[in-house]
Amino acid sequence: MKQFHGRVAVITGAASGIGRGLAEQCAAEGMRIVLADIEEAALAQVAAELRAEGAQTITVQCDVAKPDDTEMLAQRAYDLFGAVHLLFNNAGVGGGSTIWESTPADWEWVMGVNLYGVVNSLRAFVPRLLAQPDESHIVNTASIYGLINGPGSGIYKASKFAAVAVSETLYHELAQRTTKVRVSVLCPGFVATRIQDADRNRPPALQNAAPRRAPTAQESAWSQMTGRRIGLGQTPRAHAEAVFEAIRADRFYILPHPEWLPALRARMERMLDEALPANLLDSLPPE
Ligand code: NAI
């Protein structure tokens, strides 16, 4: 898609970080925007700021982990605007411990938002996108952690690897049916957002009953390093500009942070060699 002015964008997780940056870019392109998020006050704040700049936006409070909510989101978008041209399945969270210590509640929460959230939205929107005469483009936010591995953030990585698989499958399924609905998978490295404070949106029903053990020294170092790198990461707005450039170029894999490519190459080569798995920590770009 090359033309955005006057068209309609839907963004999940629009109240913060990457989603907010995408919303600002949509506004700069002159799009009408449906802002969706679980966090109502932050959503209203973003909408007010965009409207003050002249953007036409509506807000829909929704939990993407719930199929009824994503169906309601699609219904609202189509009732108001009659078509959707850009769909950003962006809402995401991180949490949990080692693979063997993460609880069922950790799995349900992170997979619920990061994987089922994408799937729920696709189930609600794709039939409508296929039925409308206008062209459209879907961007599913995975992560560079959906392509490479290492210790830590196991549920997050499982959810993001799955989001990549869903996106690749969707690409092939759409290609068999139409050229009108395009799809991309977005795999960012570090972007300066509130992702490390994702617990703020964890539903009470999915909280852990018992407190987690204290982190090991290695885990603390990993989390501090991640926090530093996210804090120093790309601004959401600059990131959004790169995403729009990729949509204009109709790229399927959107890899906005080339400093991660050696780690991805190392993983692929080790797989092909049937060697032991590459550890992303060995290929991290310097801080
Ligand atoms: P963020 O925490 O700043 O924004 C995430 C947004 O998603 C928040 O507004 C939050 O309220 C919303 N959200 C959380 N649970 C939700 C639910 N159940 N339903 C609807 N909305 C919900 O974090 P960030 O970084 O902007 O995250 C956006 C996406 O980017 C996520 O999918 C994340 O995994 C991905 N990502 C982020 C990277 C980074 O370095 N920040 C790197 C790679 C991927």
Side-chain angles (χ1 to χ4, degrees), residues 16 18 37 62-64 90 156 160 189 191 193-194 200-201:
S16 175
I18 288 178
D37 205 285
C62 88
D63 179 349
V64 295
N90 163 78
Y156 183 80
K160 296 299 186 177
V191 184
T193 72
R194 294 185 66 198
R200 69 192 188 277
N201 292 310

Side-chain angles (χ1 to χ4, degrees), residues 247-265:
I247 297 169
R248 282 195 170 89
D250 194 22
R251 286 209 301 275
F252 175 79
Y253 294 106
I254 307 181
L255 301 164
H257 301 114
E259 63 273 22
W260 283 94
L261 297 186
L264 179 54
R265 191 161 284 120

Side-chain angles (χ1 to χ4, degrees), residues 190 225 228-229 232 259-260 262 281-287:
F190 292 120
M225 183 276 290
R228 274 198 312 276
R229 284 173 180 260
L232 294 170
E259 63 273 22
W260 283 94
L281 293 176
D282 296 336
S283 313
L284 269 186
E287 275 191 59

Side-chain angles (χ1 to χ4, degrees), residues 169-181:
T169 305
L170 178 66
Y171 169 84
H172 293 296
E173 290 173 349
L174 288 174
Q176 288 176 338
R177 296 276 291 272
T178 181
T179 53
K180 242 178 22 183
V181 187

Side-chain angles (χ1 to χ4, degrees), residues 215-224:
T216 64
Q218 263 180 332
E219 286 167 342
S220 292
W222 161 260
S223 137
Q224 282 165 18

Side-chain angles (χ1 to χ4, degrees), residues 64-88:
V64 295
K66 297 183 177 159
D68 288 350
D69 280 24
T70 50
E71 177 57 29
M72 177 268 295
L73 170 63
Q75 195 61 54
R76 287 283 307 279
Y78 275 84
D79 284 350
L80 275 160
F81 295 125
V84 168
H85 304 94
L86 272 187
L87 170 63
F88 292 102

